Amino acid sequence: MTGNAGRAFAIEIRERYRDVAPDKWPVAVEPLPDELLSSWLHRLAMANGIAPRSFPSVLGLGEGMWSPRLDLRLPRNVATLLSDQTGLGIKNLSAMTMSGGAMAPLLLPLRDSAHRNRSTWMQYCPLCLAADEAPYFRRQWRLASRVSCFAHGCGLRDRCPACRAGIATFDQGEFVPQHFCARCGFDLRAAPKASVKATARRLERAIADICMVESVKGSAKTSDAVSRVLRTPAAANIRSGRTLTNLSTAARVGCFEALAAKPLDWLVNDMDGADAYRRWMIVAAGGHEALIARFADFLEGHKGAPRSKRTPGMCADRSELFGAYLRVMHSDGARASAKGSCGSSTRHSKSVI
Ligand SMILES: [Zn+2]
Ligand SMILES: [Zn+2]
């Protein structure tokens, strides 16, 4: 055997060793759809034999609400450590956070106490947790503008029904999955179903869609929609001294139910014709998807095509339909106001659908 062959062999062993025994935590945990970073961190910690309360010391962090704080800001050194130890890309880690973005003002504030009628930092749907193979917390549940589950139609909950404490998995000192209350051990999947009136759920979905559509547009209208949503308690005459983010989920349900019975002035006043009409249409249709479907029906009827001859292909052209819808809306708006801008709205429609 030559010296060269020996060196080549030695190099090959070192390369393989790096592959099969990397400097990583033993168990990998894949993020689940819309999973919040803190939820993934709690699952990761427990899968690797560390209770969530002890995990911040591994990351070089202090105790308390360490993981909800990372949801809001993931420092570069922590992101690098997590990426190195799990093999998950920093982009994937960042996608689980709630930092920045147009919806940030709607995030529930971090509170580790759960005073009566005040918001807690996290909500959950018991039916989602019950349906999960590995129960986890969704990013959407952090938003004050969300009060119900779009999948199950029930109300979200923001505290344990047994001890009334908020979600505190970050302080869980034992090896207990996060769907058990960290304070009393109650299985949150068994929480009684909370009901929300259908009118309030329609309004909630429309609000979510309006914020989403306008945030993609990236204009000043984003903050306008969000700031109007933050002021909904005043519009509904409920605890007018507080913004939406400070109310408990039950109080926000009451707020949305009251608003659903009122005119939409709170959402559209002082706006120009086209923009106000677009918001009004989304609310009237019960959401963006429903609006597009109605507009497709409208166009079909306009062509004089019999409904029975509707082809499946109609659904595939939603961006064109919405573009046409916006052009119609803006031509109406142009008559009502000289401020309408057809081109920018059409570009926007293509990017959101
Ligand atoms: Zn659900
Ligand atoms: Zn409890």
Side-chain angles (χ1 to χ4, degrees), residues 159-166 180-186 188:
R159 55 201 80 206
C160 166
C163 72
R164 310 302 298 166
F180 291 97
C181 172
R183 302 298 181 214
C184 76
F186 182 84
L188 299 174

Side-chain angles (χ1 to χ4, degrees), residues 216-296:
V216 172
K217 194 172 182 178
S219 70
K221 291 184 184 65
T222 300
S223 57
D224 175 78
V226 167
S227 63
R228 285 172 191 259
V229 173
L230 286 171
R231 295 196 302 267
T232 47
N237 294 323
I238 291 177
R239 298 179 182 277
S240 56
R242 291 186 187 172
T243 57
L244 192 70
T245 52
N246 284 313
L247 299 183
S248 68
T249 304
R252 281 182 283 116
V253 167
C255 178
F256 280 26
E257 288 182 345
L259 268 189
K262 288 176 179 283
L264 279 180
D265 297 359
W266 65 273
L267 187 62
V268 298
N269 60 10
D270 301 325
M271 294 180 68
D272 75 46
D275 291 333
Y277 197 47
R278 185 165 54 243
R279 285 187 185 178
W280 184 86
M281 288 286 283
I282 290 176
V283 174
H288 193 237
E289 287 280 315
L291 174 60
I292 300 298
R294 282 193 188 189
F295 189 63

Side-chain angles (χ1 to χ4, degrees), residues 156-170:
L156 299 181
R157 290 191 160 274
D158 61 356
R159 55 201 80 206
C160 166
C163 72
R164 310 302 298 166
I167 303 300
T169 314
F170 51 83

